[in-house]
Amino acid sequence: MQEQAIAWRSAGDEIGVVPTMGALHAGHDSLIARGRRDNRRVIVTVFVNPAQFGPNEEFEKYPRPFEDDLARLEGLGVDAVFHPPVDQIYPPAFRTRVDPGPLGDVLEGTSRPGHFAGVLTVVLKLFNLTQPKRAYFGQKDFQQVVLVRQMVRDFGLPVRIVAVPTVREQDGLAMSSRNVYLDPAQRQIAPVVHQALAVAAAAFTNGETEPARLEELTRQRLATAQALAIDYLSVVDQTTLGRPERAIPGSVLAVAVKLGPIRLIDNVVLGAERL
Ligand code: AMP
């Protein structure tokens, strides 16, 4: 992959990369479409990264419908699909890990220790293998965008990180490869997460800037679904992930909930379309 990518760059072609774990859906399509608009070449990586799964997470069970993914990607006109085996990314002699620093320990990091070290390590390697001018990440995984941007700044990586708005089902549920695990009853409840965030976003638009109040409005709406347990719910600054004294346009209300064994995450950027 790297030789092909270097050849494209040498010929003056800008490359956009879309890192995915496969099980592709319309959310991924949206990243790819944006990549095609901005770049001469688009590489999609399909790699279920063992380093970002915790011991109790579903690495083995993660869906891998690769033939379907390939058919889908053919229809989207990408220039290359990079689908490496695990030992190409992590050969036996592999040792180094990217330390995400303090931003990796909050929000998702609290429930998923080591997750962002795994994410940043593979993202850094994928960037080196695909030589992108731009890389596309979904806003749904907002903390991932923040951490990748931090790494790019800290290490001076020559790549621009583009955050793409979350693509949703008609009822508002953020699309996710993991939604297939929801049983019909859970699937019916799941859209409340987006609805609860929308309540707070509307309150912000109407002048409410107190983080605790915005969180409380969200909590109240989530409480209408008894099967659902809040993991975290917080208004945060989109660069530092700290809780601001007052929410401002661009502050993010981020939430993770558990619905039975399934964890759902979602967020809304207050007073703005995107990160
Ligand atoms: P994944 O395959 O779940 O690791 O996701 C690959 C990329 O697609 C990540 O940057 C995700 O944030 C992004 N993504 C996942 N779901 C969505 C969605 N519903 N809308 C937009 N982007 C998404």
Side-chain angles (χ1 to χ4, degrees):
M1 183 73 257
Q2 196 177 38
E3 273 173 30
Q4 172 70 82
I6 289 171
W8 281 336
R9 289 304 293 267
S10 305
D13 293 354
E14 295 182 348
I15 297 173
V17 70
V18 181
T20 81
M21 297 205 298
L24 302 177
H25 51 67
H28 300 109
D29 295 356
S30 164
L31 271 58
I32 293 165
R34 181 70 203 274
R36 285 197 66 193
R37 254 190 303 173
D38 298 345
N39 305 276
R40 172 88 173 77
R41 305 284 184 184
V42 172
I43 301 172
V44 175
T45 69
V46 177
F47 180 64
V48 184
N49 175 31
Q52 71 189 67
F53 286 80
N56 300 318
E57 296 179 355
E58 73 295 23
F59 172 70
E60 300 295 343
K61 280 199 325 205
Y62 196 86
R64 290 169 173 82
F66 185 61
E67 294 306 316
D68 295 349
D69 287 347
L70 260 191
R72 186 178 192 107
L73 290 168
E74 267 163 30
L76 295 174
V78 305
D79 296 277
V81 179
F82 181 49
H83 178 54
V86 171
D87 66 359
Q88 184 179 345
I89 299 299
Y90 303 114
F94 189 94
R95 295 284 179 270
T96 314
R97 288 263 179 305
V98 177
D99 178 351
L103 299 188
D105 294 334
V106 299
L107 303 174
E108 284 297 288
T110 311
S111 305
R112 309 184 69 189
H115 171 68
F116 288 112
V119 169
L120 295 185
T121 300
V122 81
V123 166
L124 181 59
K125 183 151 191 174
L126 292 172
F127 283 179
N128 284 324
L129 294 173
T130 61
Q131 303 283 308
K133 170 99 174 177
R134 301 179 188 84
Y136 297 82
F137 291 88
Q139 198 166 289
K140 183 175 84 72
D141 299 287
F142 139 78
Q143 190 175 4
Q144 173 167 280
V145 174
V146 174
L147 277 151
V148 171
R149 283 184 168 155
Q150 179 78 43
M151 174 173 76
V152 163
R153 277 197 303 277
D154 287 346
F155 292 168
L157 305 180
V159 53
R160 190 174 129 65
I161 305 306
V162 181
V164 179
T166 302
V167 177
R168 299 178 180 282
E169 303 287 357
Q170 282 202 340
D171 59 13
L173 175 64
M175 287 193 183
S176 165
S177 310
R178 291 183 167 95
N179 290 349
V180 295
Y181 300 136
L182 296 169
D183 71 26
Q186 292 162 342
R187 177 64 190 79
Q188 254 205 320
I189 294 168
V192 75
V193 176
H194 174 59
Q195 291 158 10
L197 292 170
V199 170
F204 178 80
T205 303
N206 290 325
E208 181 60 73
T209 60
E210 178 69 45
R213 182 75 193 125
L214 293 165
E215 289 159 8
E216 184 52 29
L217 287 167
T218 311
R219 190 171 290 116
Q220 281 169 8
R221 184 59 177 262
L222 289 173
T224 61
Q226 284 175 358
L228 186 150
I230 297 174
D231 185 349
Y232 62 78
L233 164 61
S234 190
V235 174
V236 295
D237 178 90
Q238 67 162 267
T239 309
T240 66
L241 299 181
R243 194 153 174 270
E245 271 189 28
R246 295 259 163 211
I248 57 169
S251 297
V252 175
L253 176 54
V255 64
V257 302
K258 280 204 91 176
L259 194 50
I262 319 293
R263 215 160 154 275
L264 299 174
I265 63 171
D266 204 344
N267 64 76
V268 64
V269 186
L270 298 173
E273 258 288 289
R274 50 186 301 177
L275 286 172

